[in-house]
Amino acid sequence: MSTEANRYPERAYMVQHQIMSRGIHDEPLLNALRRVPRHQFVPPDQAPAAYQDRPLPIGLGQTISQPYMVALMTEALHLTGDENVLEVGTGSGYQAAILGELARQITTIERHAPLADRTQRLLQDLGYANVTVVTGDGTLGWPASAPYDAILVTAGAPHIPSALQAQLADGGRLVIPVGSSGFQNLVRLTRHGPRFDQEDLGGCVFVPLIGKQGWGEDERRGWW
Ligand code: SAM
């Protein structure tokens, strides 16, 4: 792929002006953001905007998160390269690819089968052999691959699902947006045996986490 088709200069600009300028300086994370071709994770009509400072529509009323939010959430997981990670809310697969660059094994779960299928093919084509896409209700986690050193939820939850807490390894980190439909706080839970320490990482706005331990299908109607 040529440099131009790869759009590396736009990614380098994005990293400098949207990520580093807001205080994120973790070098492996910055390099992952420079490497992953975000324009390939959005529909063709959105590709020109792929490196702009905002979320973009990816179909089925869902979005690919703003690059800064991807960076902030990933940094909060404190990955060192050897982790078993669960992502809830696969969407476009962009966040999963970033995680795939920075950890050993990623399981990512999406409730919409068409999105999951499309993303699985894309991640395979791009060579992310350590990322597995599954379809289901991620509020219940994915017990088959638990326990997880890190869990990242990329949709807004009304409360922290107990199933996700139960699947966190000792010392593991869970990062999740929690709050109302219009506004959430990004929360990090760190497990110390039976104890969970909670930190507030700031405000954010995500599409709803819908499932048994999330919002109900009916409750989501006010969101759109
Ligand atoms: N991480 C994604 C990316 O990089 O493009 C962005 C995710 S988008 C903001 C949130 C995703 O969560 C949507 O694709 C939505 O369908 C999914 N979702 C919502 N509730 C879910 C659930 N209970 N289980 C799995 N996925 C869910």
Side-chain angles (χ1 to χ4, degrees), residues 58 62-65 70 87-96 109-112 115 136-139 154-155 206-211:
I58 56 170
Q62 305 306 323
T63 54
I64 180 174
S65 306
V70 172
E87 182 199 18
V88 177
T90 310
S92 71
Y94 177 71
Q95 173 75 74
I109 181 163
E110 170 58 50
R111 65 187 287 267
H112 289 298
L115 271 184
D137 177 4
T139 66
T154 65
F206 276 84
V207 297
L209 181 74
I210 296 169

Side-chain angles (χ1 to χ4, degrees), residues 134-152:
V134 295
T135 303
D137 177 4
T139 66
L140 304 178
W142 190 257
S145 304
Y148 299 101
D149 305 300
I151 300 178
L152 179 57

Side-chain angles (χ1 to χ4, degrees), residues 71-111:
L72 183 70
M73 294 175 103
T74 307
E75 186 185 52
L77 294 174
H78 294 317
L79 300 174
T80 59
D82 195 36
E83 291 85 1
N84 182 33
V85 181
L86 175 69
E87 182 199 18
V88 177
T90 310
S92 71
Y94 177 71
Q95 173 75 74
I98 296 289
L99 294 171
E101 296 267 348
L102 297 168
R104 175 173 49 84
Q105 182 61 48
I106 319 300
T107 304
T108 178
I109 181 163
E110 170 58 50
R111 65 187 287 267

Side-chain angles (χ1 to χ4, degrees), residues 24 26 29 69-79 149-153 157 159-161 164-165 168-169 171-179 184-192 195-204 206:
I24 291 180
D26 178 76
L29 170 58
M69 191 51 66
V70 172
L72 183 70
M73 294 175 103
T74 307
E75 186 185 52
L77 294 174
H78 294 317
L79 300 174
D149 305 300
I151 300 178
L152 179 57
V153 181
H159 53 77
I160 300 175
L164 298 183
Q165 289 187 234
L168 203 56
R173 286 81 59 202
L174 164 61
V175 172
I176 178 169
V178 181
Q184 301 100 37
N185 279 315
L186 195 59
V187 168
R188 175 171 56 205
L189 278 195
T190 305
R191 182 170 196 166
H192 302 285
R195 198 183 82 231
F196 292 87
D197 289 347
Q198 182 165 336
E199 298 157 87
D200 189 345
L201 306 179
C204 55
F206 276 84

